[in-house]
Structure formats: C-alpha cells, structure tokens
Amino acid sequence: MTEPTWKQSILYLASVYAILYLVHSSILYKLLLGHEKLHVKRSPVLPLRFRSDGTFKILQVADMHYANGVMTRCRDVLASEFGECSDLNTTRFVRRLIESEKPDFIAFTGDNIFGPSTSDAAESLFGAFVPAVESQLPWAAILGNHDQESTMDREELMSFISLMDYSVSQINPSHDDLATSDIDGYGNYHLGVHGPPGSKWANSSILNLFFLDSGDRAVVQGIRTYGWIKESQLQWLVGLSEKLRGGQLEETDALSPALAFFHIPIPEVRQLYYQKIVGQFQEAVACSSINSGVLKTFLSMGDVKAFFVGHDHTNDFCGLIDGIWVCYGGGCGYHGYGKAGWRRRARVITAELGKSHRDWIGVERISTWKRLDDEELSMIDEQVLWDSGSTS
C-alpha cells in the first residue's frame, strides 16, 4: 500500500474543512435567519396626511381570526358556502375592500389571528396582513384577546407587527416622548395625520389617532373576565392630549379632533341597547367587569369624538354615549364566529377638512359607513359622526 502523498493529504484536509464550513454555515443560517433571507423593512411615506382634496380615509378591519390559510375552515356560513371556504375568503374580502375604497390608512382592531387554531403565530401574522402589505399603504394594528394564544406573547406579537412592511404600529410610546416606562400592555401609541401638501397644516397634526391595548383575560375576585384599559394607559393618554394641545398652531380655534381604536368595548356600551343606534345590536356586550373610567377620561380630554372597537362580531352599530360615538367594526374574518347568511363586514371612516377662500381650516366632518362581503360590496349605514358646526 502506497503512502499518501503530501498533495493527497492537503486535498483531504481541504475537503474536511469545506464540509465543516458548509455544515456550520447552514446551521448558523437557520438559527439566525429562520430559513429566510435577510429582509429590510419597507416603510410607507410618512407622515400620514390628508389628500390634496382635503379628505383622509381609514379602513377599520376587526376580528380577522386568521389561522392557517387554506387549511382553516370557516365558521357560521351557509352550507352552500362551506365547502371551499377558508381564511383565504378573509384575505379576498380585505383585498376587495382596499381596491374599492382606496383608503389612506388601514386600522386592524384586534383578534387579527386566532391563537387556538394557529400553529405558528409569525406565519399567521404574515397571512393575516398580506393584503395591507401588498397595498403598500400605511397600516397599524392592536391586539385582541385571542392573538397571543399561540406561539408568541403580546410583547413579541407587537414587536413582530411593528417590523412588518409598511406597518406604522408601535410596541409602546418611546421613553423620551413621555414617562411611559410603567405603561400597561403592548400597543399603546399615537399617530398624527397632517394637513394636505402645501397647506399651512402640512407640518402639523390636525387629526389624532390613539391606539390602546385593552388586554385579553383577567381574574377579578376569583371571577374570570375580559381585560380592560388600565390607569397607566389613561394617564399617558391624558398627558399626550395635553401635549398635543400645547403644540397646536395659533390659528386653530378648537382642539384637533381625535379617534381612538381598541379591541374590547367598555361597559357603558351596554346602555345603547335601549337607545337609538345605527346598525345592529345582536349580541351581549362582552366587556370587562372592571370599569376603569375610559369614557370619563375621553370626556375630560375633550378631543376624542369617536372610538372604534371589535370583539363582538355580530354587533356592527354606532351609538352616542354622552356626546362621544362608539362604533363596532363588525366581524370581518371567516374563521371567527358570525351568523350564517349575515355577511362579513368592515367599517370605513372619513375625515373631511373645511376650506375658506384661502386655505383649509381644519377638520370639519367625520363620517362612517360599512361594506359587506357580497357581490356588490354593498355600502350600508352611512352617517355623520361629528361635525365642527354641531354641538356633539
């Protein structure tokens, strides 16, 4: 047997090194990047601002309950619809809404994914928000009570959502903004909507959007209940409102209006069962047993004209409570419960600026309507929520 030459030895060692390098690189790649290529977040054009025609349109999408895509079966649909119905029906509906309404901004108000049916939270989040990402429109989300029931906790979910393409979601306010180190929840933040390009409001927020984490579940005196917006969140909101008021232009005669978005309704919504509403009140209000004073806080602030919730899928009404409107988004997702024959739906909100002979003069009117997932994408229940010339 011939002795190996030095050339053969070098070749052998080089082969071993190459194999070890490939194995190491492959393992490291999978560990660090999770089988995906490195991706840099795509950001929308910011700040949010009114169009040149003085309008700003928001699409509210509530309770998608997205799970595993085509493998996820629909709930509460007609027998004739059940066979091929899946999460993809939700995706198609949201795409149709975006194409038809052409919103300036999309607000997802919780239970974006349905944790108990979700095998991988990250994959489900990608599936749930794909219509918004594809549209390249700015969008933001808050969490409901089911999002965290899978493979991510609430902090991880909001972090992941904030890093998705075109998302303007935030985990919580930055510490240099206000004293927020002890704020409860994940997903408390503010987005300002600036005036049209070239106007005197171009560098100022004249419509404020507040997002709040209403939590998931809690136990109070041994009784299980839903989450609620905590005192620390309300203190932050009051401080933020005061700061925004101090930063307004001198030309502003009144406080810039604000809209609030969160998932779980507040106890006061129950009283609307006996009052005039626009839309349908079809199920009990599933709120917390704790009344933390959200409505009282909104009233003291003076700028919140309406707040928008989800959670109760077959409620889709707007009602007036002490001068502030509350509106349900209506259930959008096909894996969430609903009523067979009752179309999934979503809400549209528009703000319109007033105009003098020289320039825009601030928000004049806030209106809303709903779209149904039928052949015509029917528009129903159009109404004015707030008008600067009225007292409400």
Side-chain angles (χ1 to χ4, degrees), residues 269-322:
V269 177
R270 289 171 170 164
Q271 70 192 48
L272 291 172
Y273 189 79
Y274 305 101
Q275 299 180 22
K276 183 179 179 180
I277 57 174
V278 179
Q280 299 182 60
F281 199 145
Q282 300 185 111
E283 63 177 298
V285 176
C287 60
S288 175
S289 61
I290 300 295
N291 189 330
S292 61
V294 173
L295 182 64
K296 182 179 178 180
T297 299
F298 287 167
L299 289 168
S300 71
M301 289 162 57
D303 52 353
V304 177
K305 307 305 178 185
F307 59 97
F308 301 86
V309 298
H311 193 52
D312 303 324
H313 303 184
T314 60
N315 289 341
D316 73 344
F317 62 84
C318 287
L320 191 63
I321 310 175
D322 294 340

Side-chain angles (χ1 to χ4, degrees), residues 308-375:
F308 301 86
V309 298
H311 193 52
D312 303 324
H313 303 184
T314 60
N315 289 341
D316 73 344
F317 62 84
C318 287
L320 191 63
I321 310 175
D322 294 340
I324 298 178
W325 285 93
V326 54
C327 293
Y328 277 97
C332 174
Y334 279 85
H335 188 51
Y337 74 85
K339 290 176 64 177
W342 196 70
R343 297 291 183 179
R344 264 58 174 187
R345 57 203 61 210
R347 182 170 295 280
V348 180
I349 307 139
T350 61
E352 304 170 59
L353 299 180
K355 195 172 187 179
S356 68
H357 64 284
R358 290 187 299 177
D359 204 348
W360 301 107
I361 54 174
V363 179
E364 182 176 68
R365 186 178 298 107
I366 298 171
S367 307
T368 188
W369 59 86
K370 297 186 293 284
R371 290 282 186 182
L372 308 185
D373 191 15
D374 56 18
E375 290 184 6

Side-chain angles (χ1 to χ4, degrees), residues 46-203:
L46 292 175
L48 302 178
R49 65 171 64 252
F50 281 78
R51 303 178 190 179
S52 57
D53 66 355
T55 63
F56 185 80
K57 182 184 289 187
I58 301 168
L59 171 63
Q60 180 198 2
V61 178
D63 297 276
M64 288 190 291
H65 277 237
Y66 197 95
N68 299 308
V70 71
M71 302 301 295
T72 301
R73 308 315 304 162
C74 295
R75 295 181 59 185
D76 299 329
V77 295
L78 297 172
S80 59
E81 300 171 322
F82 183 78
E84 297 182 358
C85 189
S86 72
D87 278 335
L88 300 189
N89 289 60
T90 305
T91 301
R92 281 191 289 268
F93 180 33
V94 177
R95 279 197 181 112
R96 291 179 69 207
L97 289 164
I98 294 171
E99 292 170 1
S100 175
E101 287 289 353
K102 297 178 174 57
D104 301 291
F105 173 70
I106 308 169
F108 294 93
T109 52
D111 282 0
N112 311 293
I113 62 175
F114 186 62
S117 300
T118 301
S119 57
D120 184 285
E123 289 186 7
S124 295
L125 288 171
F126 279 126
F129 296 126
V130 70
V133 172
E134 289 176 345
S135 74
Q136 300 184 19
L137 294 169
W139 61 274
I142 47 177
L143 302 177
N145 53 291
H146 288 302
D147 292 279
Q148 79 291 337
E149 296 174 331
S150 180
T151 57
M152 288 184 178
D153 62 29
R154 296 178 77 81
E155 183 176 13
E156 291 168 338
L157 286 164
M158 280 310 303
S159 178
F160 192 92
I161 290 169
S162 71
L163 295 173
M164 293 183 70
D165 286 346
Y166 305 105
S167 169
V168 292
S169 310
Q170 298 172 33
I171 305 171
N172 268 333
S174 59
H175 295 299
D176 57 356
D177 182 24
L178 290 167
T180 57
S181 57
D182 296 322
I183 194 168
D184 285 284
Y186 301 97
N188 304 287
Y189 54 100
H190 156 254
L191 298 172
V193 185
H194 289 213
S199 70
K200 66 182 179 182
W201 313 103
N203 297 316

Side-chain angles (χ1 to χ4, degrees), residues 190-219:
H190 156 254
L191 298 172
V193 185
H194 289 213
S199 70
K200 66 182 179 182
W201 313 103
N203 297 316
S204 302
S205 175
I206 52 177
L207 174 67
N208 294 303
L209 310 179
F210 300 141
F211 296 83
L212 295 163
D213 179 10
S214 56
D216 49 272
R217 287 281 192 171
V219 176

